[in-house]
Amino acid sequence: MRSAREQGFSLVQIPGGPGWASSSGLLTSSCPFFCVLDSGYLDSQYFVHSPGPEPWLPPPLPGNCRWWLCARECGLWLSLGGFHERGQDWEQTQKIYNCHVLLNDKGSVVATYRKTHLCDVEIPGQGPMHESDSTIPGPSLESPVSTPAGKIGLAICYDMRFPELSLALAQAGAEILTYPSAFGSVTGPAHWEVLLRARAIETQCYVVAAAQCGRHHEKRASYGHSMVVDPWGTVVARCPEGPGLCLARIDLRYLRQLRQHLPMFQHRRPDLYGSLGHPPS
């Protein structure tokens, strides 16, 4: 067993669309070094301008055997998002959950988070996105999961715009926040790095964000720029343009020292702002 200082993440940045073929080789190449991996969005065709008549759907969870086998054969924990899981009322609504699945190195599912914040936005120059047309919001957060790299909190993409979620995960014990994403070509350059660094600073967590890159179809492209941010807000690993791989060490001793030197959670005033989350009056 490696020490906490030696644990880390390997991020795989893949093109838009189902990502097995382009990511499996990169997955294998990361095996000798890191025990935890975040593979990025597996598909993001749930948006209204998908060229197909319905979202791409894998077999019902946990039936995606290729990932389960890969985790077991490579001896890696895999953070996989976002899977499209048929909703409970699929036959009536034809709606899905957008899921983030965490597998251990035996190929077993240890956590499943269903995205709680849906991206219904109209950004000039980027095209409208109406995720709620085909997706159901998840009912709850997932408790942080203990892994060889630390306690991991699960989120997805648009969730990073809501600091309440990341703070709730940190208060529940998270040391690493994960955001598999497919940020747009307009919001990406403006907000991607800023939001990730802000979430890391305010929670004093590592933030791991794998992201799809490139064009999905003629009306949608994703920004990419997968990265890992440390609890001080420093970007410690970043993928270049296009498909690729980046590696980052996770130093939990550094995280704990920082939290001791800058004890922000002890200074919070929930008596003043405990009702955050309601729309402004």
Side-chain angles (χ1 to χ4, degrees):
M1 177 65 68
R2 299 183 182 94
S3 69
R5 173 177 289 277
E6 294 174 322
Q7 302 299 339
F9 270 82
S10 170
L11 274 72
V12 174
Q13 181 166 284
I14 60 177
W20 168 254
S22 59
S23 59
S24 57
L26 290 170
L27 249 166
T28 305
S29 71
S30 71
C31 289
F33 196 53
F34 289 115
C35 66
V36 185
L37 182 144
D38 195 307
S39 70
Y41 253 52
L42 303 181
D43 185 81
S44 58
Q45 295 183 17
Y46 52 76
F47 293 111
V48 68
H49 289 304
S50 169
E54 65 179 41
W56 174 81
L57 292 169
L61 296 173
N64 294 272
C65 294
R66 58 192 183 183
W67 294 106
W68 277 238
L69 289 171
C70 191
R72 189 161 59 241
E73 290 173 358
C74 293
L76 287 172
W77 285 63
L78 302 183
S79 164
L80 303 168
F83 275 109
H84 291 176
E85 178 191 31
R86 294 173 190 263
Q88 291 182 341
D89 299 322
W90 166 257
E91 298 300 330
Q92 290 73 40
T93 67
Q94 301 288 288
K95 289 192 174 185
I96 62 169
Y97 289 112
N98 187 351
C99 295
H100 183 169
V101 180
L102 188 65
L103 308 182
N104 66 17
D105 55 0
K106 307 301 182 186
S108 299
V109 179
V110 294
T112 301
Y113 164 72
R114 294 164 177 88
K115 187 181 180 194
T116 50
H117 299 97
L118 301 186
C119 187
D120 288 355
V121 301
E122 297 193 15
I123 307 295
Q126 188 168 284
M129 302 179 190
H130 300 293
E131 191 175 8
S132 64
D133 287 350
S134 58
T135 306
I136 307 167
S140 62
L141 301 183
E142 181 73 18
S143 297
V145 179
S146 294
T147 77
K151 290 185 177 179
I152 293 182
L154 305 181
I156 298 175
C157 198
Y158 190 59
D159 286 333
M160 75 178 67
R161 292 187 178 274
F162 301 91
E164 301 92 337
L165 183 151
S166 60
L167 289 169
L169 290 173
Q171 287 175 321
E175 298 164 316
I176 303 161
L177 304 178
T178 49
Y179 294 97
S181 299
F183 250 53
S185 56
V186 173
T187 54
H191 298 159
W192 173 250
E193 181 176 330
V194 174
L195 287 170
L196 294 173
R197 295 181 69 187
R199 298 296 82 87
I201 293 167
E202 71 199 7
T203 62
Q204 297 178 312
C205 287
Y206 280 90
V207 169
V208 177
Q212 274 197 332
C213 63
R215 186 157 295 281
H216 303 261
H217 49 79
E218 67 277 3
K219 294 185 177 180
R220 174 158 175 80
S222 285
Y223 178 62
H225 293 79
S226 302
M227 66 178 62
V228 179
V229 184
D230 74 12
W232 187 251
T234 302
V235 178
V236 294
R238 186 195 309 260
C239 280
E241 296 289 337
L245 175 76
C246 67
L247 308 174
R249 291 185 181 276
I250 300 296
D251 187 344
L252 295 183
R253 185 168 61 183
Y254 169 68
L255 178 148
R256 290 161 187 155
Q257 287 175 343
L258 180 61
R259 290 181 175 184
Q260 181 180 4
H261 296 156
L262 188 60
M264 290 165 42
F265 277 94
Q266 297 178 32
H267 301 154
R268 300 189 72 82
R269 292 288 306 273
D271 57 311
L272 300 181
Y273 40 76
S275 60
L276 280 177
H278 296 290
S281 58

